[in-house]
Amino acid sequence: MTPKRIAIIFALVLCLGAAARCAAQTYTMIMPTPKGLSMGSMDALLKDMGKAIERKTGIKVTVVNLEFDYLDTPVEDTLAKMKAGKVDLAMVFGIDYVRYAANNKINAVPLFAISMFGRSSYDVCLFTRKADNIKSAKDLKGKVWGGVKTKNARYIMHLDGIDKPMSGFFSKLVYMPEENVVTLLDALLDKKIDVFTVPNYQVNMTRNTNKKYNQVADISCREYEHNWFIVYNKDTVSKENAAKIKEAFMAAHKDPQFAQFKFLLTAVKGRFVGMEIKDLANTVKIVKYLQKYKWDQEELAFIKKNFKR
């Protein structure tokens, strides 16, 4: 066997190694999106994103849309696949990432995040009618709450000095999907519910497009989890390639190659920003509350009772 053929075989063997990646390899990037989220053709949007990454960096990335509902665990499932070497990059949510990392040795390293309205974290608020003159969660005893994620409300209630189950504080809990916040806003103004609790950026985006929602008040807003962020598999993605991908996204807000993000970034007055583990400090605090008071279990019981696949 000639030295040239030996060199070729050696190179192929390296490519087959678990920790090695050949230059021609295509990275797999998972983007979890809620079922029912209205953003046009999500598959087409993510496909275009993969093309933009390749044009800017020369790195091939296949972006996969992972749709999930209220009973799914998309971040846990994705991080498990990343640990197994089947996923290279992924979008994750702060609470789910911290909770998974607390119980598993992971290889998912934060790369960059999205900043919305000038912040890398968001608040959860009690949204009420301004005309009702509600000042805190205590003023909502016996009122009607609407939504899905009860743990958001429980967190605010706790900080306002209320530690009762939702059903023992509100007169009624109305199950209402939260993907389209307009549904909740209209139900509030039509007096079908008295309060709902969602991330403030959802309402802020909608207020910018319809002034009638200025009749809605934000009460007892509290800092919650870190905005969603991108992680990379340190076992399959080199630091050099990770840095190239990060650099491309850092300039995405002014780069025509990433024009598909213009609507999203404009709506939330946002851009992509760098991040580190230390930036998850408040998210870690939230996770400790969830574990201590079992708010997740209360929410899951509410969802299972009302949500039908």
Side-chain angles (χ1 to χ4, degrees):
M1 187 177 294
T2 66
K4 182 177 180 180
R5 292 197 64 184
I6 292 174
I8 292 173
I9 292 172
F10 182 70
L12 289 172
V13 170
L14 286 178
C15 286
L16 294 173
R21 292 279 174 162
C22 297
Q25 171 133 12
T26 298
Y27 290 141
T28 297
M29 182 176 189
I30 302 294
M31 297 288 283
T33 56
K35 290 179 181 177
L37 181 67
S38 179
M39 283 187 65
S41 175
M42 184 61 70
D43 289 334
L45 175 71
L46 298 181
K47 185 177 180 181
D48 287 345
M49 184 174 78
K51 292 178 180 178
I53 294 172
E54 184 174 359
R55 285 194 296 267
K56 294 297 296 184
T57 67
I59 301 168
K60 293 184 178 180
V61 177
T62 297
V63 186
V64 179
N65 180 20
L66 176 62
E67 288 192 323
F68 65 92
D69 63 33
Y70 292 119
L71 294 176
D72 292 326
T73 55
V75 173
E76 179 180 336
D77 297 343
T78 296
L79 291 176
K81 289 181 179 179
M82 185 171 282
K83 186 177 180 181
K86 297 178 181 179
V87 174
D88 306 294
L89 299 133
M91 182 181 82
V92 298
F93 313 124
I95 287 175
D96 295 334
Y97 176 86
V98 168
R99 189 157 35 199
Y100 186 85
N103 299 306
N104 300 273
K105 184 178 180 180
I106 65 174
N107 50 3
V109 180
L111 187 59
F112 62 88
I114 187 169
S115 169
M116 296 186 284
F117 298 98
R119 295 178 54 192
S120 294
S121 63
Y122 65 84
D123 290 349
V124 287
C125 306
L126 299 171
F127 291 97
T128 64
R129 293 178 289 271
K130 282 184 178 179
D132 290 352
N133 200 32
I134 301 296
K135 299 300 182 183
S136 74
K138 293 180 180 179
D139 297 330
L140 290 165
K141 183 174 176 58
K143 300 292 187 180
V144 178
W145 179 90
V148 176
K149 297 179 181 177
T150 60
K151 62 175 174 280
N152 295 348
R154 289 287 263 136
Y155 177 60
I156 296 174
M157 289 165 61
H158 173 77
L159 295 184
D160 278 2
I162 304 165
D163 281 308
K164 291 183 178 181
M166 297 280 286
S167 58
F169 181 74
F170 295 102
S171 63
K172 186 178 180 181
L173 305 180
V174 179
Y175 179 85
M176 300 186 72
E178 298 175 352
E179 289 82 12
N180 186 356
V181 75
V182 169
T183 302
L184 291 167
L185 287 163
D186 287 342
L188 180 65
L189 295 182
D190 292 340
K191 297 188 177 181
K192 294 177 181 178
I193 59 175
D194 299 308
V195 60
F196 66 88
T197 319
V198 297
N200 62 334
Y201 65 82
Q202 287 184 252
V203 174
N204 289 340
M205 288 170 62
T206 309
R207 278 189 180 131
N208 290 339
T209 61
N210 194 326
K211 291 183 179 180
K212 82 172 183 178
Y213 297 125
N214 288 330
Q215 300 175 64
V216 175
D218 309 10
I219 306 300
S220 295
C221 294
R222 309 288 185 170
E223 183 182 0
Y224 205 60
E225 68 179 328
H226 196 285
N227 296 341
W228 58 260
F229 55 97
I230 300 294
V231 296
Y232 75 96
N233 186 336
K234 66 179 182 180
D235 295 334
T236 63
V237 180
S238 68
K239 288 185 178 180
E240 179 184 7
N241 282 348
K244 288 180 180 179
I245 294 170
K246 177 180 178 179
E247 182 181 0
F249 276 89
M250 293 302 97
H253 60 289
K254 56 183 179 181
D255 191 333
Q257 297 277 19
F258 288 89
Q260 68 269 36
F261 286 115
K262 184 176 181 180
F263 171 76
L264 170 64
L265 295 178
T266 300
V268 297
K269 298 180 182 178
R271 57 172 297 178
F272 296 105
V273 295
M275 73 164 292
E276 301 176 18
I277 287 290
K278 65 180 179 64
D279 298 328
L280 293 168
N282 200 68
T283 304
V284 171
K285 183 181 76 172
I286 302 297
V287 170
K288 289 179 179 178
Y289 275 121
L290 294 174
Q291 293 171 338
K292 181 177 180 180
Y293 296 107
K294 303 186 186 306
W295 295 334
D296 274 329
Q297 289 88 326
E298 181 182 2
E299 178 178 288
L300 183 59
F302 177 66
I303 292 173
K304 286 183 174 180
K305 180 180 178 181
N306 293 280
F307 174 67
K308 307 299 179 185
R309 279 179 167 157

